Amino acid sequence: MLSARSPSVPRLGIACFGPSSRPLFAPTSATVARFSIQSIQNVTTAATTSAGATSRSRPRPALVPTSRSSLPAAQGQVRGKKTRTAVTLGELPLPAASKQLPQGLILAEPLPLEDDEPTYPTVVLQARRSMQKFDGCVLLTRVGGFYELYFEQAEEYGPLLNLKVAQKKTNAGPVSMAGFPFFQLDRFLKILVQDLNRHVAIAEEFPNDAAGKVKSGGLLHDRKVARIVTPGTLIDENFMDPYANNYVMAIHLPAEVESGPPPIEPANMSPEEVDVGLAWLDLSTGYFFTQPTTLSSLGSVLSRVSPREIVLDKEMESQRDHGIMSVLEEERYLVSYSPPGELRKLSDWQSMLEAEIPAHTAEKLTDNEVKAGGLLLHYVGDRLRGLSMKLQPPVRHESLQVMNIDKNSMRALEIKQTNRDGAFKGSLLHAIRRTVTKSGARLLNEWLSSPSTSLEVINHRQDLVFRFLQNEDLRDAVIVLLRRSHDSQRLVQKFALNRGEPDDLLRLASTIKATEDIVGILSSAVSSQPSPETDAQHDDCLSTMIGRIRLDQPLQLAKRIWDAIDEEGLVQQHRIEDSETGEMLALAQEIVKAEGSEADTALLPKGAMAKAASTNAASGRKKPTSLRDFYGEDSEVWIMKPGASPVLARLHAELASLLQDKVALTETLRARLNAATLTLRWTPGLGHICHLRGKDARRSPTAAEDEDTATAPVRTLSSSRTTRSIHQPEWTALGERIDKARFQIRAEEQRVFGALRAHVVYCLVKLRRNASVLDELDIATSFARLAAEQNLTRPVLHDSLASPNSLQTIIIGGRHPTVEGGLAEAGRTFQRNDCLVGAPGHGRAWLITGPNMAGKSTFLRQNALITVLAQVGCYVPADHASLSIVDAIFSRVGSADSLFHNQSTFMVEMLETAAILRQATARSFVIMDEVGRGTTPEDGTAVAFASLHHLLHINRCRVLFATHFHNIADLVAQHRMRLEDGGAVGAVEMYCTDVEEDGQGGFAYVHRLRKGINRQSHALKVARLAGLPEQAIRVAREVLEKSGVDRGSREHSKITHRTAETTG
Ligand SMILES: Nc1ncnc2c1ncn2[C@@H]1O[C@H](COP(=O)(O)OP(=O)(O)O)[C@@H](O)[C@H]1O
Ligand SMILES: [Mg+2]
C-alpha cells in the first residue's frame, strides 16, 4: 500500500468475462471437498482420451478421494530437453482416480511425448502443482489485477461464485479458468470460506529476481501460496462477524482411548473417565485459551466457546466411529485434520507469543492441554504459511471461575439465539446489548456464555454499573469517547501478524487518545466525588480501572504516528485507489460489452457500475484517466510527513530543489528551442521527453547551440498532427535524478512505516490491556444504560461456598427479560412473580402446575435468566433479588426432536435429564419443564417424580419443576417430601398458575403464581383458542366428562381431605 503502486494493468484475457461453453458441476456438499484431479482430463485432451466424460458425469468431485501420495511424482516423468522453462503435459501427474475406476472402463494412456510437444504456461503449471500440494483447498492465483481459478476448480466454483468459466487457449490445449478483480477478494472469500466452509489457498505474486526471471521464461512474478484461509483462521477479513470471536479449537484425545459409542449413549456409563485437552485461539484478537475437560462435557464446552473450526490429529481421520465424532456431528462442527507438528513443549510456543507464559499457568497445564496447544499452533502456523504471529499467552479456563451453562440450557434459555429458528432477535444477548464498541460486544458475548462465580468479580462489575448509573453525565461522556475508539483488539492483532496499514495506525492513535481522555474524565470523577465516605468503595472501582491502563508508551506511539503520517495524503491516496478501482471496473465493463452479454454486465458489482460510469463520464467517454493524472507527477501524493524522519526531510528538500531545477530547465529549453509550449514529461514508452504542442509541434525544432551560431536540428521521437516529442539530455539527466529522489522517498516511507509497526508490536501487551479495560467500561456503561432504561435492580449476591447450608434464590417481582419486552410491544403488561426457592420457610424445590399458556415455562426461564444476568454483573429485571452464587444452570425445557440423529423425543428428554441428575451439585440451579411428556402419562409421571426425588435427595440443588402431571403432587405428599413434612428432604412447595372464567365462556390467564396445585389443564380452552373445529371440541369434552374429569375430581377430593391445599 505504501509502495508506489505499479499501475495495475488488468489483463484483457480475463476469463470471468469470457463466454463459456462448459458444462457446470453441481454444488458440492458442505464438507471440505477433496478434489479429484480427474477432471484435468477435460482439458488435457492430448494426454487422455476417454476419462473426461467420466469426470463430467460426476457431480461431486468429493466422491473421488485422491491423496497426494497416490500421485506419481512429477519428476518421475520428466522428459525432454534440459533447459526448459515450462513443463510438458506428460509431466503432469496422472489422475490418481484413474486407478480407482471400476474395471471394464478403457483407461486412457498418456500419448507418447515428443520433444517439442506443447506445454502449459508457467502460471498454469504452477497452479496445477499448488492444487496438488494443497489438496483439499480451493486455489486462487493472483495474476496481475485478478485472482484466478483453473482447471476443474474453475468449473466447479465458477458457477457457484457466479463467474464465467472460459477456456484459456494454451499450447497444451484449452484450460478452464475463471477469475475476479483483486479488490473483490473479500467478497469471494466470504462465499468460499464463510458460506461454503472451504479452505482457500491464496497464491500471491512475488517479484522475480533476475535468476527467477530467466528460469520462468521472463515472468516478472513468481507465485507462492502465501496463506490458507479457513473458517477458523480469519484475521481481518471484513466479512468477519465483529460481534463474536472467531475461534479455532484443537482437541487432543489420549491415544489409548478406545473408539466406542457416543459418550452420551446410556450404554457408556462412565464417559467422564476420558480426559481430553482443549486449546483454542482467535487469530483476529490473539486470545488463546486452554482447558482440560472430559469427553462427556465436551458438548457443553463447545457450545460455550462456539468454535468456528475444530482441529483433530490427522490420525483421527480414519476413526470415524470414535465417540468424539458423534459429539462433533451433532452440532455439525466443521472439522479439519492436521499432523501434530513439532511444537511438543511449552518452550516451543514462545516465538508465537507476545509474552512469557506465566509460571502458575505453565505448571498447571496438563499434558493433554499442551498437546492440544501444540496441534493448534502447528495448524494455525501452517495456515499462515510462515507469517509471524504474536498471540497472548494462553489462559487456562479451568482457573477462571465461571458458571457452567450446559449446551441444552444455552439453547433452551435462548441466551444467544432463539430456540426455534436460531435468530439473534429474541435472545437474551439481543435484549441486553447496548455496547458501543465491537470488542465490547464480543466480550459481552463471552461473559454471557460464562458468567462469573466469583463474588469479588461480580461485585466489582456491579460497582461500576452503579457508578455509571448514578452519574449520567460521566456515563455519557465515557460512551462518547468509547465510540471514538476503534476495535483495538483486532487492530492491534493485525500488527502482531505483521499486517496493518497506515489507516490502522491512525485508528490506533485515535484509540490511544480516546483512552487518555477516558482516563482523564474518570480521574476527575474520582476526585470530585462529593461525599467520599459513602462512595469510597465506588471510587475504588473507577480507580481500579484507571490503574489498569498504561498510557506512557502508547502515548509516545500515538504522537509518533501523528507526527509521521500525513492524514491528508492518505485521503488522497485512497481517492486515487478508488479511482483506479473505478478504472479497472470500467475496463471490465468494456470487456463485457465487447465479449459478453447483458447478463455478464449484470454480474459486475452494483456500486461499481456507477463508479465506472462516472469515471467514463468524467473523462468525456475517452479512456479513463486517473486522479494520479489529475494531480500530475510533480504533486505526487505522499502519506508520510516530511518530518517523519531526518532522511525523509532531506529527501523532500532535495526533491523540492530538483523540481525547481525542472522549472528553470523548462524556461531554458523553451528559449533554446524557441517553443513556448514546451513541457517536460515522462512516458513509459519514450522516457523523459520534451513535449511540444500546436505550432511548436508542426515545425521541426532546432536548437540554438549558442546565441549567434547556426542552429542544429533536433531528432523527433514521435509526433502527431498537434504534438511532438523530443529528447534533451539535460532533461533526461534531471528527470532521472527526480525519479531517484522519489524512489528514495518511497523507500524511506516504507522504512519509517516498518519502524512504526515495530513500535506497535513493542507496545502490544499494554495496548491489549488498555483495550480490555475499554471493553469492560463499554459493558459497564451499557449495563447502566440498560438498568436506567428498563428499571433494573442491583441483585445482592452471596458466596455460596461460604454459606453452603442456606443457598437461596430470592427474586421478588421478577420479570422475564425478553418476554416482557415482547408483551410491551403488543401493548400488554407482564405479571411479576416472586421466586423464593431455598429461602427460609420456603421450599428448595417448587412444583408448579397450571393450565397451558399461563406462564409456567416463562417463570422457570425468567429465574434462570435473572441468575445468569446477576452473575454476569448486570442489574436484573426484578424489584429485589438476593442470590446465592450458582455454579451451574441446568435446564430441561421443551423437546426438540433430534430425528436426524435417530433419537426420539423421549430419548432426547431422558438423555438431557440424565445429564442433569449426574452433574448438578448443591450449588446448582435446575429448571425442569414437563419432564416425561414424551411417553404415556403413567410412565411420564413415574419418571418425572423420580427425577424430582433424585434432585432433592441426591443433588440437593435448587429446583423449579413444572409439570402437567398433577399426580406428582400426590406422590410428593405420599413420600413426605412437602415442606410441611419437614425433615432433611421436606423441601417441596406447590405453586400454580390459573385461568379466570367470566361465566359466559370467556376466560383470562392468571399469570400470577399462587400456592397450591392446579389440576385442570384447561386444554380445551387453548384448543378452541387455537381454532380446533367446534365438533372436535365437542367430542373431546364428551370424552373428558366420561373419564378424565371424573377421575380428576375423584383424586381431587382424595387429596384435599388429606392436605387441605388450595386447588384451581
Ligand atoms: N407473567 C406473565 N405475565 C404476562 N404474560 C405472560 C406471563 N407469563 C407468560 N405470559 C404469556 O403467556 C404465554 C405462555 O406462557 P408459557 O410460559 O409458555 O405458559 P405455560 O408454560 O404455562 O404453558 C407467554 O408466551 C406470554 O405471552
Ligand atoms: Mg410450558
Side-chain angles (χ1 to χ4, degrees):
M1 165 134 304
L2 260 175
S3 58
R5 292 171 56 101
S6 54
S8 34
V9 182
R11 292 146 35 95
L12 288 168
I14 183 64
C16 54
F17 307 108
S20 163
S21 57
R22 308 297 302 175
L24 312 177
F25 283 122
T28 54
S29 64
T31 52
V32 176
R34 322 196 68 235
F35 301 103
S36 155
I37 62 155
Q38 220 178 358
S39 42
I40 188 177
Q41 291 158 320
N42 289 345
V43 290
T44 56
T45 41
T48 61
T49 51
S50 69
T54 319
S55 86
R56 252 180 253 171
S57 65
R58 287 174 191 270
R60 291 179 171 217
L63 293 178
V64 189
T66 62
S67 74
R68 239 185 295 160
S69 56
S70 63
L71 301 171
Q75 283 81 351
Q77 298 187 23
V78 169
R79 292 208 212 164
K81 290 178 224 149
K82 282 182 199 145
T83 55
R84 284 166 316 157
T85 56
V87 181
T88 62
L89 198 60
E91 292 168 18
L92 289 175
L94 282 177
S98 63
K99 294 182 188 160
Q100 296 157 13
L101 289 177
Q103 289 200 346
L105 270 177
I106 302 163
L107 292 184
E109 287 290 317
L111 297 173
L113 301 166
E114 307 291 327
D115 259 0
D116 55 350
E117 69 186 286
T119 59
Y120 278 123
T122 309
V123 175
V124 173
L125 199 67
Q126 281 182 339
R128 177 83 269 170
R129 292 214 176 116
S130 294
M131 283 165 71
Q132 286 155 11
K133 183 163 174 208
F134 300 97
D135 83 349
C137 295
V138 181
L139 178 76
L140 299 179
T141 304
R142 174 87 184 236
V143 182
F146 290 85
Y147 284 100
E148 294 180 348
L149 292 137
Y150 296 104
F151 298 109
E152 69 273 12
Q153 294 191 349
E155 295 180 22
E156 184 184 354
Y157 292 102
L160 285 177
L161 299 173
N162 238 341
L163 298 173
K164 275 277 181 184
V165 182
Q167 299 306 305
K168 182 188 171 76
K169 288 198 188 74
T170 76
N171 287 342
V175 172
S176 299
M177 57 184 285
F180 52 85
F182 73 94
F183 49 82
Q184 292 185 326
L185 179 62
D186 257 10
R187 191 179 137 206
F188 289 101
L189 273 183
K190 180 190 178 302
I191 302 174
L192 288 168
V193 178
Q194 197 96 323
D195 304 345
L196 300 174
N197 280 335
R198 294 294 191 274
H199 290 197
V200 176
I202 304 180
E204 295 287 0
E205 288 181 336
F206 296 90
N208 252 335
D209 56 12
K213 262 181 221 163
V214 173
K215 246 173 87 187
S216 67
L219 286 181
L220 284 180
H221 291 103
D222 189 17
R223 290 169 186 81
K224 275 200 295 275
V225 170
R227 197 181 146 203
I228 300 169
V229 185
T230 72
T233 55
L234 302 178
I235 299 176
D236 56 4
E237 286 66 28
N238 59 30
F239 54 83
M240 283 184 88
D241 181 355
Y243 301 112
N245 276 309
N246 200 72
Y247 287 125
V248 51
M249 174 188 273
I251 306 177
H252 176 78
L253 295 132
E256 62 272 22
V257 174
E258 293 287 305
S259 51
I264 47 166
E265 293 269 312
N268 192 348
M269 284 314 289
S270 52
E272 303 90 45
E273 310 294 287
V274 181
D275 290 321
V276 299
L278 306 178
W280 65 100
L281 62 83
D282 181 342
L283 261 187
S284 73
T285 58
Y287 287 131
F288 182 11
F289 297 97
T290 68
Q291 181 181 349
T293 186
T294 59
L295 207 45
S296 63
S297 309
L298 184 61
S300 286
V301 178
L302 289 176
S303 87
R304 187 189 75 220
V305 176
S306 311
R308 194 62 184 78
E309 180 179 358
I310 284 172
V311 185
L312 295 178
D313 193 309
K314 193 121 188 89
E315 300 236 305
M316 296 293 302
E317 203 166 2
S318 53
Q319 300 184 41
R320 290 280 162 191
D321 53 350
H322 191 286
I324 193 173
M325 296 304 173
S326 60
V327 179
L328 299 179
E329 271 160 26
E330 195 178 345
E331 300 295 324
R332 299 181 207 180
Y333 286 106
L334 176 74
V335 179
S336 305
Y337 296 92
S338 161
E342 296 299 316
L343 303 162
R344 300 222 167 82
K345 299 190 304 291
L346 281 187
S347 51
D348 299 333
W349 300 4
Q350 203 53 56
S351 64
M352 299 169 122
L353 304 178
E354 65 174 17
E356 293 255 332
I357 304 176
H360 59 90
T361 305
E363 276 163 25
K364 284 196 189 144
L365 287 172
T366 62
D367 197 36
N368 286 335
E369 285 170 279
V370 175
K371 292 223 171 78
L375 174 64
L376 180 69
L377 293 177
H378 172 77
Y379 176 75
V380 170
D382 188 58
R383 303 294 90 175
L384 296 179
R385 314 292 313 154
L387 187 70
S388 75
M389 63 173 155
K390 287 269 175 265
L391 301 165
Q392 310 190 29
V395 173
R396 278 194 92 219
H397 222 272
E398 181 81 317
S399 57
L400 301 175
Q401 296 175 292
V402 296
M403 177 205 281
N404 181 29
I405 307 177
D406 73 338
K407 89 171 176 245
N408 300 322
S409 308
M410 204 71 195
R411 208 181 296 139
L413 296 174
E414 308 192 304
I415 291 184
K416 292 188 194 173
Q417 54 188 41
T418 58
N419 204 352
R420 177 178 283 206
D421 49 9
F424 176 55
K425 188 163 192 265
S427 69
L428 179 67
L429 179 57
H430 179 264
I432 68 163
R433 192 169 79 189
R434 300 286 183 282
T435 44
V436 296
T437 69
K438 287 169 181 153
S439 49
R442 287 199 299 274
L443 184 64
L444 177 61
N445 195 333
E446 299 267 312
W447 279 10
L448 265 194
S449 32
S450 51
S452 176
T453 55
S454 152
L455 187 60
E456 194 189 340
V457 169
I458 299 170
N459 278 338
H460 174 68
R461 292 181 189 173
Q462 288 183 345
D463 288 346
L464 278 175
V465 179
F466 175 79
R467 200 70 166 77
F468 289 120
L469 191 58
Q470 289 249 300
N471 192 338
E472 204 181 322
D473 293 344
L474 178 66
R475 175 172 89 223
D476 290 346
V478 172
I479 290 173
V480 166
L481 289 171
L482 283 172
R483 281 188 202 279
R484 232 176 260 168
S485 76
H486 297 267
D487 190 341
S488 46
Q489 302 279 14
R490 286 194 171 164
L491 214 47
V492 166
Q493 180 65 8
K494 277 198 205 180
F495 290 95
L497 283 161
N498 221 350
R499 289 155 77 102
E501 293 174 359
D503 298 270
D504 296 322
L505 283 178
L506 286 175
R507 288 189 197 113
L508 199 57
S510 65
T511 304
I512 294 169
K513 176 78 177 83
T515 313
E516 185 192 24
D517 294 348
I518 286 177
V519 168
I521 57 169
L522 291 184
S523 306
S524 55
V526 171
S527 56
S528 69
Q529 193 61 34
S531 51
E533 67 280 5
T534 50
D535 279 314
Q537 183 199 351
H538 306 304
D539 275 352
D540 256 351
C541 73
L542 288 187
S543 310
T544 313
M545 298 305 267
I546 299 167
R548 282 168 56 195
I549 291 178
R550 290 277 168 280
L551 274 172
D552 35 347
Q553 280 177 14
L555 280 174
Q556 280 171 15
L557 171 66
K559 181 169 181 319
R560 202 169 150 196
I561 291 171
W562 278 316
D563 286 349
I565 298 209
D566 184 344
E567 264 193 88
E568 233 165 84
L570 205 54
V571 171
Q572 308 290 21
Q573 169 99 1
H574 288 320
R575 289 217 186 113
I576 289 172
E577 278 163 12
D578 285 353
S579 102
E580 280 173 359
T581 304
E583 276 171 56
M584 171 97 58
L585 283 164
L587 196 59
Q589 211 182 7
E590 260 164 42
I591 298 166
V592 170
K593 246 192 286 172
E595 300 181 16
S597 60
E598 285 289 308
D600 296 317
T601 318
L603 285 181
L604 289 174
K606 290 199 183 62
M609 301 295 289
K611 205 180 258 174
S614 70
T615 314
N616 272 346
S619 55
R621 302 211 63 77
K622 270 188 272 157
K623 203 171 161 285
T625 53
S626 71
L627 265 168
R628 193 182 290 281
D629 289 350
F630 175 77
Y631 279 104
E633 44 193 40
D634 287 351
S635 54
E636 184 136 24
V637 174
W638 304 107
I639 57 152
M640 294 265 172
K641 295 177 183 163
S645 81
V647 176
L648 214 47
R650 178 174 58 74
L651 288 172
H652 273 287
E654 221 172 282
L655 181 64
S657 119
L658 287 171
L659 291 175
Q660 268 176 2
D661 292 353
K662 183 179 169 187
V663 173
L665 181 64
T666 308
E667 290 310 314
T668 313
L669 290 178
R670 279 178 183 171
R672 185 193 302 165
L673 297 171
N674 189 22
T677 65
L678 178 142
T679 50
L680 301 181
R681 296 187 180 184
W682 180 86
T683 70
L686 301 174
H688 294 94
I689 50 162
C690 305
H691 185 262
L692 309 170
R693 278 186 292 120
K695 71 173 170 35
D696 290 341
R698 281 194 286 280
R699 61 181 168 79
S700 237
T702 49
E705 291 283 291
D706 54 60
E707 270 82 42
D708 41 20
T709 55
T711 54
V714 177
R715 197 168 69 84
T716 295
L717 298 165
S718 79
S719 67
S720 71
R721 208 159 48 81
T722 53
T723 66
R724 184 186 292 271
S725 306
I726 56 171
H727 269 163
Q728 286 290 292
E730 292 106 312
W731 168 228
T732 307
L734 177 63
E736 273 165 9
R737 284 176 66 199
I738 293 177
D739 283 350
K740 189 163 159 234
R742 285 209 179 98
F743 178 81
Q744 285 175 332
I745 291 178
R746 287 279 174 230
E748 177 62 8
E749 281 195 340
Q750 284 280 20
R751 193 197 64 75
V752 173
F753 182 68
L756 281 172
R757 186 183 260 169
H759 196 161
V760 176
V761 174
Y762 173 72
C763 295
L764 207 58
V765 177
K766 291 192 173 72
L767 290 170
R768 275 180 173 151
R769 285 198 188 143
N770 293 354
S772 54
V773 177
L774 295 199
D775 294 346
E776 288 173 37
L777 285 171
D778 190 12
I779 295 183
T781 48
S782 77
F783 279 175
R785 253 176 74 192
L786 183 76
E789 224 174 75
Q790 307 196 344
N791 203 9
L792 308 183
T793 325
R794 179 175 180 158
V796 181
L797 285 131
H798 309 283
D799 190 344
S800 53
L801 288 173
S803 51
N805 294 322
S806 58
L807 301 180
Q808 58 187 30
T809 294
I810 299 179
I811 296 166
I812 308 293
R815 284 120 63 197
H816 190 293
T818 57
V819 173
E820 187 186 25
L823 286 178
E825 272 176 30
R828 292 160 59 195
T829 50
F830 190 88
Q831 170 64 56
R832 298 170 183 225
N833 271 313
D834 303 342
C835 170
L836 298 158
V837 289
H842 296 270
R844 186 152 41 79
W846 282 22
L847 182 69
I848 300 160
T849 48
N852 274 308
M853 291 288 291
K856 297 185 299 299
S857 304
T858 307
F859 178 71
L860 259 51
R861 290 174 204 216
Q862 87 189 25
N863 292 303
L865 290 174
I866 286 174
T867 309
V868 168
L869 284 179
Q871 292 188 217
V872 163
C874 186
Y875 280 27
V876 299
D879 299 334
H880 167 82
S882 170
L883 311 165
S884 305
I885 287 173
V886 156
D887 67 347
I889 282 198
F890 294 100
S891 22
R892 172 45 235 157
V893 166
S895 48
D897 274 47
S898 193
L899 293 180
F900 173 76
H901 293 107
N902 200 14
Q903 291 167 337
S904 70
T905 310
F906 187 65
M907 183 59 168
V908 172
E909 228 189 286
M910 287 302 104
L911 284 170
E912 292 185 19
T913 306
I916 297 175
L917 299 187
R918 279 209 308 258
Q919 293 173 42
T921 74
R923 297 171 69 209
S924 307
F925 186 78
V926 173
I927 63 176
M928 288 242 175
D929 200 356
E930 299 197 29
V931 176
R933 198 166 58 165
T935 181
T936 62
E938 292 75 19
D939 288 352
T941 306
V943 170
F945 174 72
S947 304
L948 180 61
H949 187 273
H950 194 91
L951 288 169
L952 222 60
H953 285 77
I954 313 288
N955 307 93
R956 309 181 63 79
C957 51
R958 284 161 274 177
V959 185
L960 292 176
F961 201 101
T963 185
H964 276 300
F965 304 137
H966 42 78
N967 292 351
I968 293 177
D970 307 336
L971 289 166
V972 165
Q974 278 167 27
H975 285 78
R976 304 187 59 75
M977 284 157 61
R978 292 173 311 169
L979 188 65
E980 53 266 45
D981 296 325
V985 295
V988 181
E989 231 186 339
M990 318 285 183
Y991 279 85
C992 63
T993 52
D994 211 345
V995 301
E996 211 169 66
E997 285 167 279
D998 59 8
Q1000 289 147 22
F1003 71 98
Y1005 289 111
V1006 181
H1007 294 114
R1008 173 99 195 153
L1009 231 61
R1010 63 175 170 79
K1011 281 198 185 174
I1013 306 165
N1014 193 336
R1015 290 175 187 275
Q1016 284 186 296
S1017 74
H1018 298 273
L1020 292 190
K1021 295 195 179 71
V1022 177
R1024 177 173 283 140
L1025 213 62
L1028 210 70
E1030 212 40 60
Q1031 299 96 307
I1033 299 222
R1034 217 172 24 247
V1035 173
R1037 176 162 308 120
E1038 279 166 26
V1039 173
L1040 265 183
E1041 276 163 8
K1042 286 216 179 73
S1043 58
V1045 166
D1046 287 357
R1047 201 185 60 204
S1049 52
R1050 252 200 332 273
E1051 280 168 6
H1052 183 198
S1053 54
K1054 199 165 65 195
I1055 199 104
T1056 32
H1057 79 253
R1058 230 191 284 151
T1059 63
E1061 72 209 38
T1062 48
T1063 59

